[in-house]
Structure formats: C-alpha cells, structure tokens
Amino acid sequence: MKPILIYKESPVCYNVLNHFADQLGNAFIQLGETVEYYNAMEQKEAGLAAYAGREYKAVIGFQSYLFDIYLPKAGVYLHDLIKGPKINFQFDHPIWMKQHYVRMPQNCYIATHDRNYAAFIEKYYPRINGTIIATPGGCKRKLSGEAAALEEKVVEIDRIWEQKKYGITFVGTYANYRNYLPIIRGSEKMVKQIAAHFLFYMKLHPDITAESALEASLMADGIRLSQEDFLEVLDGVKPMIYCIMSYYREKVVEAILAEGIELEVYGDSWRHSPFSNHPGLHIHPEVTVEESLIVMEESRISLNVMAWHKDGFTERIANSMLNNSVVLTDKSTFLQENFTDGEDILLYDLLHLDRMTKTIKRYLDEPGNALKKIAAKAYDKAEEKYTWKQTAEELLRKLPD
C-alpha cells in the first residue's frame, strides 16, 4: 500500500497549519492508511531531493511553499520527480499564493473549503490540475480519567453546560486596520485610486468576494483589464483584504461592547485595540490551539468573524460545535446552505450589527435551554460531518488517479 506524505513547515498562525497536518495524518492512520511526515523546518528543503523517485498515494501540504521548488540544472520541478498526486490545502484567499501557484509541477491540486476560492484557482492558475472542496475538521478537547468516561454518557452535555464560565468568547486576534491605510497613501496615483475604491466597495458590500468587489470598483472607474492584468492588480492591492477583514472584526467587537455585553478575548494583541480599557472587554493570556478548545467548552457562545470567506467554513466553527459551544458568526453561502440559523448556529449580517447584539442579549438572557439545544444539534452535525476523519474520508474519495 502506498503511503501518504504530509508536509509540516513554519509554525505560523500559532502553529495551526502544523496542527492541521497532525490531525489529518492521525485521521488517515485511523482509516488504515500509512502516513509519513516531512518537517521542512528540521529537514530543510534540500532534504526533499532524497524523495525523488518515490511513489505516494498523495503528497499533502497546508498552504505549502514546497511544491514549486525548481531544479534549474535538471530543468524540472522537484515534485515532478516525486510520484503521486500533490494536494495543497488553501484556507486563505488564493491571491496570497500567487507567486507559487503560477509555477507549479504537474499533477497538482488544491483542496479548499470555499467554492469561490476553487473557482478563482481554476480561472487564474492554469498550472493547477484541479480543485477539491474539503472543509477543515474540528477537534474535541482531550479528556482523561473520569471525564473521559462521562463523555460516553448522554448526560455529558448537561454537565458541561452547568460548568460554563463565560457568556461569549472570541479567540481571534486583534489587528488594527488603520495600519494598512499608509499602503494606499504611499502608492502612485493610479494604484492609490484603485486600492481606495476597492476598499470602499468592500466596506459597502461585505457580502461579496474580494475579486467581485475589485471587478465592480474597476468597472465603476471605467477601467478594463485583461485576465492577466487583473490578477496582477489584485495581487498588488491584496493588503486591502486584510484591512477590511480587520475593520469589520473591530466593528463587531465594538458593537458588542457598546451594548454592555461582556466579551472574553485572548492574547496581548487586544491591549493595542481602541477599547483595551473598556470595562466589558476581558483580556486573557494567549491560548494554544488545544487550550482554545477548553475556552470553547467553557463558553455558552463562541464568536467568529469570517476572514472574508464568502462561501466558506472554518475550523473555529467546527471546534466550537464539537466542544458544545454555540457558534455566532457572520454569514457565508456554505453556512446558509448547510446550517439553520437559530437551530444549530447563530448567523449575523456585517451590515446589521445591531441585530447581532440583540440576538446575543436575547439568548444570554434567556433562562431556558435554547442555547443548550442549539449546541446539542450543532454537536451532532459536526460529529457527523465536520471532523478530520470526515475530511480524510472525503479526500480519499476524491483523490485523483
């Protein structure tokens, strides 16, 4: 049986990508697959040369930069010498991987949670063979001893709910959108205009993709570009995507605090926010991925703000559900098609944050079991569809020949 090779790389974003690699690898092993890991931080890129000629069921990375390694003397991409389909997971907008995806080996595919990202990849990166829709899985908090035994009992949800410490928590970090604005001011006139109008359009239309916003703002300015030039322009103004993400993240938190709702946040980044001294904002120490699962289990509601995934799903949503916390998140097409607002999730609109705060107050003040019922339904759905085991099974079904 051919093994599966999984890459682990730089511990960026609190090492979440390497956490994904471990979780997916463990899921494959549970399904009877043989898994090998390659740690590029320890073994370095050069060590991959020893893998030339080997054959794998799949070679898998997580927004990996390893696939486009080119051997100029041999005139080939290294991964053309490693047999088997190559699959790179893409969680952020694929414009951030442009420099890599325009130069890729043969037999390379992208797995992504967002159908908009899949369509973007297939349109703008012809070197990619195809895309696979695969959601990141969630994890349950690890239990041991008596707690592990209780996990098997139906009454566990009641015990967990009685011990919850917090009303609403947010494990995301803070980034100041104002820090991105000098990028616009320092650009030459045409770029400044395009970036400013792009940002303004996303602010007014937070329900559409970044590429759609850029297309619309360019059209309003009478600018027509070829597909190649459009990709270059989007690459040049991509910091504006982070800018608008950060803007709405701040507005969501600001709206919650303005209504007197207490919010628990994690990490020193929040000490640099405009409301760091607000009495309703409780700043806790930074948490690891594993520790964040405990936070979710201790929370009645877990806040999520999408990173501009307009048809996507995140591991934070799956993790919250699998740890018996009700997810409160802005909408995406994927979420609206696969979940029901008020039954297994709570959805809000970025343009109507006043409705979001009313929802929070209504559920936190409700003395009955409404939140617990939502959490229980979400848990069942996540356990059935959104664990790494399901992700691994989906990949095995969709693996190219």
Side-chain angles (χ1 to χ4, degrees), residues 7-191:
Y7 291 146
K8 299 178 71 173
E9 298 178 54
S10 176
V12 296
C13 298
Y14 304 98
N15 204 36
V16 69
L17 296 182
N18 288 334
H19 172 77
F20 289 170
D22 287 332
Q23 295 300 319
L24 183 61
N26 290 338
F28 278 135
I29 291 170
Q30 291 174 24
L31 295 172
E33 301 293 332
T34 301
V35 174
E36 296 179 14
Y37 287 99
Y38 186 88
N39 191 322
M41 293 294 291
E42 297 175 0
Q43 299 167 272
K44 309 302 180 185
E45 290 184 7
L48 273 176
Y51 286 68
R54 297 188 188 181
E55 188 169 1
Y56 291 94
K57 191 167 190 175
V59 182
I60 299 175
F62 293 82
Q63 295 190 175
S64 174
Y65 301 154
L66 297 176
F67 291 109
D68 69 341
I69 296 174
Y70 188 73
L71 305 176
K73 291 184 179 180
V76 297
Y77 288 93
L78 172 61
H79 280 81
D80 283 334
L81 305 177
I82 302 175
K83 299 177 182 178
K86 291 82 187 177
I87 300 173
N88 205 14
F89 271 86
Q90 181 67 46
F91 302 109
D92 297 325
H93 194 289
I95 192 62
W96 294 96
M97 294 291 286
K98 174 182 176 292
Q99 301 306 320
H100 299 275
Y101 287 169
V102 296
R103 33 174 285 132
M104 294 292 281
Q106 299 174 5
N107 204 19
C108 197
Y109 301 80
I110 305 301
T112 181
H113 59 99
D114 191 309
R115 289 172 294 191
N116 292 322
Y117 293 170
F120 185 95
I121 290 163
E122 291 174 3
K123 180 176 181 178
Y124 291 103
Y125 300 134
R127 293 190 66 90
I128 303 297
N129 274 39
T131 56
I132 300 169
I133 300 298
T135 57
C139 304
K140 298 179 187 179
R141 181 168 77 91
K142 293 179 181 177
L143 300 171
S144 59
E146 182 181 351
L150 283 171
E151 179 73 9
E152 302 299 321
K153 299 181 180 179
V154 178
V155 296
E156 177 63 9
I157 182 67
D158 295 314
R159 184 190 68 83
I160 290 174
W161 207 258
E162 290 170 0
Q163 295 180 358
K164 287 186 180 291
K165 296 181 181 179
Y166 309 120
I168 179 168
T169 59
F170 183 44
V171 295
T173 55
Y174 173 78
N176 192 334
Y177 71 89
R178 301 163 190 81
N179 293 337
Y180 295 97
L181 299 180
I183 298 174
I184 296 179
R185 301 188 189 106
S187 302
E188 61 98 7
K189 185 176 180 181
M190 179 58 74
V191 174

Side-chain angles (χ1 to χ4, degrees), residues 138 140 151 318 321-322 376-390:
K140 298 179 187 179
E151 179 73 9
M321 290 179 171
L322 287 168
K377 288 185 178 180
Y379 177 92
D380 290 341
K381 181 172 285 188
E383 190 174 48
E384 179 185 356
K385 296 183 177 181
Y386 302 110
T387 69
W388 281 106
K389 181 174 181 288
Q390 277 79 44

Side-chain angles (χ1 to χ4, degrees), residues 198-215:
F198 172 45
L199 182 62
F200 185 68
Y201 203 92
M202 284 193 290
K203 179 183 175 182
L204 292 180
H205 304 278
D207 56 334
I208 66 174
T209 66
E211 56 271 25
S212 296
L214 181 59
E215 287 172 359

Side-chain angles (χ1 to χ4, degrees), residues 314-333:
T314 71
E315 82 288 347
R316 186 176 296 163
I317 292 173
N319 286 340
S320 299
M321 290 179 171
L322 287 168
N323 289 281
N324 297 290
S325 184
V326 173
V327 174
L328 172 70
T329 181
D330 51 323
K331 300 173 182 177
S332 80
T333 304

